[in-house]
């Protein structure tokens, strides 16, 4: 069924509209395998709890000088980054490709994708774009549309964009950091901030407890491919264990406390290859579960999270599939039919090539 509220005119295709779809069963019920419907289900749980989830997204990607046809023809030869150098926040590299940058910003505006920041990241040809915070479904739609826009603009210039989690073994990987918070449906008050004490609230603590506790068994939704697990390497700003800390970028969950309007949680686990509907649904479901059950998190990590003893995250796709399939809590939160279907798709993915490749 067409979601008429998602209608957008395509900037690169005059007279053509793009609309999102939701899959249903023949009897009209939501289809349990539909990623967008899964997010709708979790959002319904949030509404029943009297809260509105708000999400922002930071998406990293590499721009490659090779065209799609060149990459296909070369059959696995190393691609060539669009620009050399490891410099993040480089004004020079942005200026060299100012035409592409301006086209991207204009296209994003036409597609109703509010961009808070666009800059080069650490790595040759690496970029990061921050999509502004909004209600969860809008943010998920915008991540999908943003990736489409980037790939389309690159194709017109004979270059390629890669959203692989780890396109280069020796370089940093690509993440989809999810910033998240809750507001009350009535007064729209910040759930993560205690106004009386002027500090992060117990609700934030319990939400973090849910995220950290369920992180290993839900990893498959944040790391969906064999390549996803190559990004999880110590010392690369990608998490390797279920940890959290205040403004600690080595931890999987980073709490940012900026008062009632800015206190939020950044989940640093998902890669740029994650399905945003599933990643948002999984993190939101875990956080709400934490609040419902008043789950206390472990102590925050104040130093290097790579060096602490904490529950490890799965190292391969097959390990993640096994954890998800065996998780009673995942079946309760996401639905047994969804878990079985999703695990089957990931097993197919793992069977296509050796995990040692």
């Amino acid at each position: 069924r067409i979601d008429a509220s998602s209608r957008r005119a395509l900037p690169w295709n005059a007279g053509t509209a793009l609309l999102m779809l939701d899959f249903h069963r023949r009897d009209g019920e939501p289809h349990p395998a539909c990623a967008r419907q899964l997010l709708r289900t979790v959002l319904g749980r949030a509404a029943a709890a009297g809260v509105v989830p708000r999400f922002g997204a930071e998406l990293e990607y590499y721009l490659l000088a090779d065209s799609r046809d060149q990459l296909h023809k070369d059959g696995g030869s190393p691609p060539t980054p669009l620009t050399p150098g490891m410099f993040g926040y480089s004004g020079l590299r942005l200026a060299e490709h100012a035409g592409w940058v301006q086209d991207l910003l204009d296209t994003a505006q036409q597609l109703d994708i509010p961009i808070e920041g666009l800059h080069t990241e650490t790595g040759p040809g690496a970029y990061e774009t921050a999509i502004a915070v909004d209600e969860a479904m809008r943010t998920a739609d915008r991540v999908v549309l943003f990736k489409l826009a980037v790939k389309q603009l690159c194709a017109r210039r004979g270059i390629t964009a890669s959203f692989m989690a780890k396109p280069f073994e020796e370089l940093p990987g690509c993440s989809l950091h999810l910033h998240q918070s809750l507001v009350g449906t009535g007064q729209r008050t910040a759930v993560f901030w205690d106004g009386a004490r002027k500090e992060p609230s117990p609700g934030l603590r319990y939400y973090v407890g849910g995220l950290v506790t369920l992180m290993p068994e839900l990893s498959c939704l944040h790391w969906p491919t064999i390549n996803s697990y190559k990004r999880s390497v110590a010392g690369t700003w990608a998490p390797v264990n279920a940890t959290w800390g205040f403004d600690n970028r080595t931890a999987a969950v980073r709490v940012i406390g900026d008062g009632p309007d800015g206190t939020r949680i950044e989940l640093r686990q998902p890669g740029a290859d994650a399905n945003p509907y599933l990643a948002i649904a999984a993190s939101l479901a875990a956080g709400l579960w934490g609040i419902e059950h008043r789950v206390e998190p472990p102590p925050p990590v104040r130093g290097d999270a790579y060096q602490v003893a904490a529950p490890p995250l799965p190292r391969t796709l097959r390990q993640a599939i096994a954890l998800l399939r065996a998780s009673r809590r995942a079946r309760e939160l996401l639905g047994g039919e969804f878990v079985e279907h999703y695990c089957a798709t990931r097993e197919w993915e793992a069977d296509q090539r050796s995990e040692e490749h």
Side-chain angles (χ1 to χ4, degrees):
R1 294 179 181 173
I2 292 173
D3 179 356
S5 68
S6 70
R7 183 187 181 279
R8 290 167 168 84
L10 283 181
W12 54 82
N13 228 3
T16 303
L18 181 145
L19 299 105
M20 299 296 186
L21 305 176
D22 293 311
F23 286 92
H24 292 258
R25 295 186 186 274
R26 292 185 183 276
D27 62 6
E29 289 298 308
H31 199 291
C34 176
R36 211 163 179 265
Q37 293 283 32
L38 178 67
L39 180 53
R40 284 194 189 282
T41 298
V42 179
L43 288 173
R45 199 171 301 140
V51 295
V52 176
R54 294 175 61 79
F55 278 73
E58 295 175 344
L59 195 58
E60 296 171 342
Y61 48 99
Y62 279 86
L63 297 185
L64 310 174
D66 316 83
S67 69
R68 176 200 60 191
D69 293 341
Q70 284 175 309
L71 291 171
H72 182 72
K73 181 180 178 181
D74 291 344
S77 297
T80 304
L82 185 62
T83 52
M86 296 291 290
F87 305 107
Y89 300 95
S90 169
L92 176 60
R93 284 201 284 169
L94 281 175
E96 288 176 345
H97 300 282
W100 180 87
V101 170
Q102 191 60 57
D103 280 353
L104 178 58
L105 293 173
D106 291 344
T107 300
Q109 185 177 34
Q110 293 167 341
L111 289 172
D112 184 34
I113 305 173
I115 301 299
E116 281 197 337
L118 190 159
H119 61 87
T120 64
E121 252 298 350
T122 306
Y127 280 79
E128 180 177 42
T129 301
I131 298 174
V133 64
D134 207 327
E135 295 187 9
M137 185 66 78
R138 290 195 191 116
T139 296
D141 284 345
R142 285 164 174 165
V143 171
V144 170
L145 292 169
F146 178 80
K147 293 171 79 170
L148 174 64
V150 170
K151 293 176 181 180
Q152 188 274 337
L153 290 172
C154 285
R156 283 166 50 181
R157 287 170 168 76
I159 61 178
T160 303
S162 173
F163 291 90
M164 288 178 67
K166 190 74 167 178
F168 300 98
E169 183 177 3
E170 70 282 6
L171 295 173
C174 298
S175 67
L176 172 62
H177 294 158
L178 293 175
H179 291 253
Q180 45 204 287
S181 62
L182 303 174
V183 295
T185 53
Q187 300 297 320
R188 306 291 284 186
T189 55
V191 174
F192 287 169
W193 184 255
D194 186 330
R197 295 179 177 271
K198 300 189 184 305
E199 63 182 22
S201 70
L204 179 144
R205 191 171 72 248
Y206 299 145
Y207 193 102
V208 170
L211 282 176
V212 173
T213 300
L214 300 186
M215 189 174 294
E217 57 208 78
L218 297 181
S219 287
C220 198
L221 287 93
H222 301 301
W223 294 342
T225 70
I226 291 173
N227 180 262
S228 303
Y229 299 82
K230 300 179 187 297
R231 170 176 160 263
S232 177
V233 179
T236 63
W237 308 111
V240 300
N241 49 22
T243 52
W244 77 282
F246 290 98
D247 205 13
N248 188 338
R249 288 179 171 85
T250 67
V253 176
R254 172 185 171 220
V255 174
I256 305 166
D258 291 323
D261 296 326
T263 298
R264 62 193 185 276
I265 292 166
E266 178 192 36
L267 180 63
R268 298 178 60 82
Q269 184 182 15
D273 57 346
N275 180 312
Y277 302 104
L278 300 185
I280 291 175
S283 60
L284 178 58
L288 294 174
W289 175 84
I291 292 176
E292 179 184 356
H293 295 279
R294 296 176 177 266
V295 178
E296 290 288 351
V301 177
R302 302 188 185 282
D304 186 351
Y306 299 118
Q307 304 300 320
V308 302
L313 298 176
R315 304 311 310 148
T316 67
L317 179 56
R318 291 194 189 278
Q319 288 180 12
I321 294 168
L323 287 173
L324 179 61
R325 175 164 276 146
S327 172
R328 173 183 55 81
R329 293 174 296 200
R331 292 175 183 273
E332 291 173 355
L333 296 175
L334 307 177
E337 284 188 272
F338 168 80
V339 169
E340 283 300 325
H341 173 81
Y342 185 74
C343 286
T345 69
R346 296 308 87 206
E347 285 174 337
W348 182 91
E349 174 79 16
D351 287 343
Q352 300 312 299
R353 52 187 60 84
S354 167
E355 293 203 29
E356 286 72 41
H357 178 65

